[in-house]
Coordinates of all heavy atoms in Angstrom, one line a residue:
C7 N 1.3 16.7 7.0 CA 0.9 17.6 8.1 C -0.2 18.5 7.5 O -0.2 18.8 6.3 CB 2.0 18.5 8.5 SG 3.4 17.7 9.2
A9 N -2.3 21.1 6.0 CA -2.0 22.3 5.2 C -0.6 22.4 4.7 O -0.2 23.5 4.1 CB -2.4 23.6 6.0
A10 N 0.2 21.4 4.9 CA 1.6 21.4 4.4 C 1.6 21.1 2.9 O 0.6 20.7 2.3 CB 2.5 20.5 5.2
R11 N 2.8 21.2 2.3 CA 3.0 20.9 0.9 C 2.6 19.5 0.5 O 2.3 19.2 -0.7 CB 4.4 21.1 0.4 CG 4.9 22.6 0.3 CD 6.3 22.5 0.4 NE 7.1 23.6 0.1 CZ 7.7 24.3 1.0 NH1 7.6 24.1 2.3 NH2 8.5 25.3 0.6
S12 N 2.5 18.6 1.5 CA 2.1 17.2 1.2 C 0.6 17.2 0.8 O 0.1 16.2 0.4 CB 2.3 16.4 2.5 OG 2.1 17.1 3.6
R14 N -0.3 18.6 -1.8 CA -0.3 18.4 -3.3 C -0.4 17.0 -3.6 O -1.4 16.6 -4.4 CB 1.1 19.0 -3.8 CG 1.1 20.5 -3.9 CD 2.4 20.9 -4.7 NE 2.5 22.4 -4.8 CZ 3.5 23.1 -4.2 NH1 4.4 22.4 -3.5 NH2 3.5 24.4 -4.3
F33 N 3.1 19.2 13.3 CA 4.2 20.0 12.7 C 5.0 20.7 13.8 O 4.5 21.1 14.8 CB 3.5 21.1 11.8 CG 4.5 21.8 10.9 CD1 4.7 21.3 9.6 CD2 5.2 22.9 11.4 CE1 5.6 22.0 8.8 CE2 6.1 23.5 10.5 CZ 6.3 23.1 9.2
P34 N 6.3 20.8 13.6 CA 7.1 20.2 12.5 C 7.5 18.8 12.9 O 8.0 18.5 14.0 CB 8.3 21.1 12.5 CG 8.5 21.7 13.9 CD 7.1 21.6 14.5
P35 N 7.4 17.8 11.9 CA 7.6 16.4 12.3 C 9.0 16.1 12.8 O 9.2 15.2 13.6 CB 7.3 15.7 10.9 CG 7.2 16.7 9.9 CD 6.9 18.0 10.5
R36 N 10.0 16.9 12.3 CA 11.4 16.6 12.8 C 11.5 16.8 14.3 O 12.4 16.2 15.0 CB 12.4 17.4 12.0 CG 12.8 18.7 12.5 CD 13.6 19.5 11.5 NE 12.9 20.8 11.2 CZ 12.9 21.8 12.1 NH1 13.5 21.7 13.2 NH2 12.3 22.9 11.8
L48 N 15.4 14.4 6.2 CA 15.2 15.8 6.2 C 14.2 16.3 7.3 O 14.1 17.4 7.6 CB 14.7 16.3 4.8 CG 15.6 16.1 3.6 CD1 14.9 16.5 2.4 CD2 16.9 17.0 3.8
G49 N 13.3 15.4 7.6 CA 12.2 15.7 8.6 C 11.1 16.5 8.0 O 10.2 17.0 8.7
T50 N 11.1 16.6 6.7 CA 10.0 17.4 6.0 C 8.9 16.5 5.4 O 9.1 15.3 5.2 CB 10.6 18.2 4.9 OG1 11.3 17.3 4.0 CG2 11.5 19.3 5.4
V51 N 7.7 17.1 5.2 CA 6.7 16.4 4.5 C 6.4 17.2 3.2 O 6.7 18.4 3.2 CB 5.3 16.4 5.3 CG1 5.5 15.4 6.4 CG2 4.9 17.7 5.8
P52 N 6.1 16.5 2.1 CA 5.7 15.1 2.1 C 6.9 14.1 2.2 O 8.0 14.5 1.8 CB 5.0 15.0 0.7 CG 5.7 16.0 -0.1 CD 6.0 17.1 0.8
T62 N 10.3 12.8 -1.7 CA 10.1 13.8 -0.7 C 9.9 15.2 -1.3 O 9.8 16.2 -0.6 CB 11.4 14.0 0.2 OG1 12.5 14.2 -0.6 CG2 11.6 12.7 1.1
E63 N 9.6 15.2 -2.7 CA 9.4 16.5 -3.3 C 7.9 16.5 -3.8 O 7.5 15.7 -4.7 CB 10.3 16.8 -4.5 CG 11.7 17.2 -4.1 CD 11.7 18.6 -3.4 OE1 10.9 19.4 -3.7 OE2 12.6 18.8 -2.5
S64 N 7.1 17.5 -3.4 CA 5.7 17.4 -3.6 C 5.3 17.5 -5.1 O 4.5 16.7 -5.6 CB 5.0 18.5 -2.9 OG 5.5 19.8 -3.2
A65 N 6.0 18.3 -5.9 CA 5.7 18.4 -7.3 C 6.1 17.2 -8.1 O 5.4 16.7 -8.9 CB 6.3 19.7 -7.9
E100 N 6.0 25.4 -6.9 CA 6.8 25.1 -5.7 C 8.0 26.1 -5.6 O 8.2 26.9 -4.7 CB 7.3 23.7 -5.7 CG 8.4 23.4 -4.6 CD 8.0 23.6 -3.2 OE1 6.7 23.8 -2.9 OE2 8.8 23.7 -2.3
Y165 N -1.9 24.6 -4.6 CA -1.4 24.6 -3.2 C -0.7 25.9 -2.8 O -1.0 26.4 -1.7 CB -0.4 23.4 -3.0 CG 0.2 23.5 -1.6 CD1 -0.6 23.3 -0.5 CD2 1.4 24.1 -1.4 CE1 -0.2 23.5 0.8 CE2 1.9 24.3 -0.1 CZ 1.1 24.0 1.0 OH 1.6 24.2 2.3
Ligands
GSH301 N1 10.4 21.3 -1.8 C1 9.8 20.4 -0.9 C2 9.7 21.2 0.5 C3 9.2 20.3 1.6 C4 9.0 21.1 2.9 O1 9.9 22.0 3.3 N2 7.9 20.8 3.7 C5 7.6 21.6 4.8 C6 6.1 21.6 5.1 S1 5.3 22.6 3.9 C7 8.2 20.9 6.1 O2 8.0 19.7 6.2 N3 8.8 21.7 7.0 C8 9.3 21.2 8.2 C9 10.7 21.5 8.5 O3 11.3 22.3 7.7 O4 11.2 21.0 9.5 C10 8.4 20.0 -1.4 O5 7.9 20.7 -2.3 O6 7.9 19.0 -1.0

Side-chain angles (χ1 to χ4, degrees):
C7 295
R11 286 160 167 109
S12 35
R14 285 191 182 110
F33 194 90
R36 88 191 124 77
L48 295 173
T50 54
V51 287
T62 57
E63 284 294 330
S64 59
E100 170 59 15
Y165 171 73

